[in-house]
Amino acid sequence: MTLPHRRAGGLSLPVVSLGLWQNFGESTPFADQRRLVLHAVDRGVVHLDLANNYGPPPFAAEESVGRMLSTDLPRDELVITTKAGYRAWPGPYGEHGSRKYLLASLDESLRRLRTDRVDVFYSHRFDPDTPLEETLGALQSAVRSGKAIYAGISSYSADRTVAALAVARAIGLPLAVHQPAYSMMNRWVERPGTDGRSLLDVAAGAGMAVVAFSPLGQGLLSSRYLHGIPDDSRAARGGPLRPEWLTDEVLDHVRALAGIAGAAGRTLPQLALAWVLRDPRVTSVLVGARTTDQLDENLTAATAPPLDDDELAAIEPHAVEAGINLWGSRSSDL
Ligand code: NAP
């Protein structure tokens, strides 16, 4: 089966992609992980997004996908991405954006993934203590060595992306893709930087793909939290969706959005994904899914009719910042 694709930055990506941040670690049996990934690929989700620290714990998701690549997965049909930037091992060269860390981490990722190259290697976060020339030079080495086909950046603010693009241009490195958080509850990518352009403007102006992560606000943009915190939810598991973010005010907006979705015959996740995809500058929404049912529901957004003007107008007052931007200090704050 195929899904609609959008093209940008030299990449052709399905409009819905699968991320392996939270549900591919030690607490999920490998058989369940494998079933979900094979189901996704079978449904046309040929873009699998990883990072050195995904699982949890770190490295677990890459180990799992490596096992699948060695037996089940059609490597060359897939876009496999990974990143380095967060803590992977102790010491100053175990996180951030130094050449030593990025290139060592990429080698380790390739070993775990049991593949010779990834399709995109990302700088996972801006590093204020390492010159951009060094970070982007490491990405360039990764591409020149053939260990990565494309280079990307994640959660760099609009201003930092402008700066990164200037450095990349100077050293002859195409920056193919930006991966920012974007959802109805986290709209920092729309806010202007100091030159008046938002991250979406900057990325589109440079021809970069935009892969929007956490488009469901980590599950907040579903009906799951409308009547308390379900035991099997990310918020209950002590994951990165913090229970204190689920305030009455936020849940009132989620309830209103669920009502707008229901009136249009959509579910809230479908509405939330269609809303991010309403902007043609977004190349793909990067969903997390814990079950095949969740994934199947999210995939309906790939072929659903676009939101009409009445729906967009009704959504607008409720598509508000909900204080759920874990990545703010690297993105929207600067
Ligand atoms: P998300 O799609 O916003 O949230 C996924 C969670 O929402 C699932 O684990 C599940 O939570 C719930 N969910 C998903 N589909 C649902 C449905 N149809 N109905 C009800 N609940 C549903 O995305 P995310 O997991 O936060 O992030 C997606 C990917 O983005 C990650 O895997 C990673 O690849 C990438 N990412 C990148 C960065 C970065 O810094 N670059 C940061 C974060 C994420 P429950 O487990 O509670 O059911």
Side-chain angles (χ1 to χ4, degrees), residues 19 21 49 154 179 214 216 218-219 234 288 290 294 297-298:
W21 177 33
D49 182 69
S154 178
Q179 190 178 123
S214 298
L216 299 176
Q218 296 200 54
R234 190 177 292 187
R290 194 170 43 79
Q294 287 180 349
E297 178 176 12
N298 299 341

Side-chain angles (χ1 to χ4, degrees), residues 96-323:
H96 290 311
S98 68
R99 180 176 181 82
K100 177 171 163 63
Y101 167 61
L102 291 177
L103 293 180
S105 180
L106 176 58
D107 282 344
E108 291 296 309
S109 290
L110 294 176
R111 188 184 52 73
R112 285 188 290 271
L113 286 165
R114 307 187 203 183
T115 185
D116 294 335
R117 72 191 74 85
V118 288
D119 297 297
V120 181
F121 183 49
Y122 287 94
S123 162
H124 207 162
R125 57 172 167 171
F126 176 80
D127 175 0
D129 298 321
T130 300
L132 272 172
E133 286 76 4
E134 179 172 339
T135 300
L136 293 168
L139 296 185
Q140 185 185 43
S141 295
V143 171
R144 288 211 171 142
S145 66
K147 294 178 182 176
I149 309 286
Y150 297 99
I153 56 177
S154 178
S155 296
Y156 281 47
S157 68
D159 288 359
R160 286 168 169 170
T161 301
V162 170
L165 282 163
V167 171
R169 213 169 290 121
I171 63 174
L173 171 72
L175 268 184
V177 50
H178 197 304
Q179 190 178 123
Y182 189 29
S183 74
M184 294 198 289
M185 299 269 130
N186 179 359
R187 300 179 65 168
W188 77 265
V189 296
E190 299 173 13
R191 286 208 293 272
T194 50
D195 71 1
R197 292 183 300 156
S198 68
L199 175 68
L200 287 173
D201 296 331
V202 171
M208 296 173 93
V210 173
V211 173
F213 74 74
S214 298
L216 299 176
Q218 296 200 54
L220 178 59
L221 289 164
S222 72
S223 305
R224 276 170 79 58
Y225 295 103
L226 293 181
H227 308 287
I229 299 182
D231 288 344
D232 61 354
S233 66
R234 190 177 292 187
R237 291 194 304 269
L241 179 61
R242 298 180 187 149
E244 62 268 26
W245 291 345
L246 305 170
T247 63
D248 288 344
E249 192 188 341
V250 166
L251 291 175
D252 281 348
H253 287 300
V254 175
R255 232 169 253 119
L257 291 165
I260 294 164
R266 304 179 194 261
T267 66
L268 182 48
Q270 287 166 351
L271 185 87
L273 298 176
W275 184 86
V276 177
L277 287 168
R278 81 200 183 291
D279 191 320
R281 296 173 296 183
V282 172
T283 315
S284 184
V285 285
L286 183 48
V287 300
R290 194 170 43 79
T291 66
T292 51
D293 285 350
Q294 287 180 349
L295 182 69
D296 285 342
E297 178 176 12
N298 299 341
L299 287 178
T300 61
T303 47
L307 301 175
D308 64 30
D309 290 346
D310 290 343
E311 284 176 283
L312 289 171
I315 289 167
E316 192 57 28
H318 299 291
V320 294
E321 293 295 333

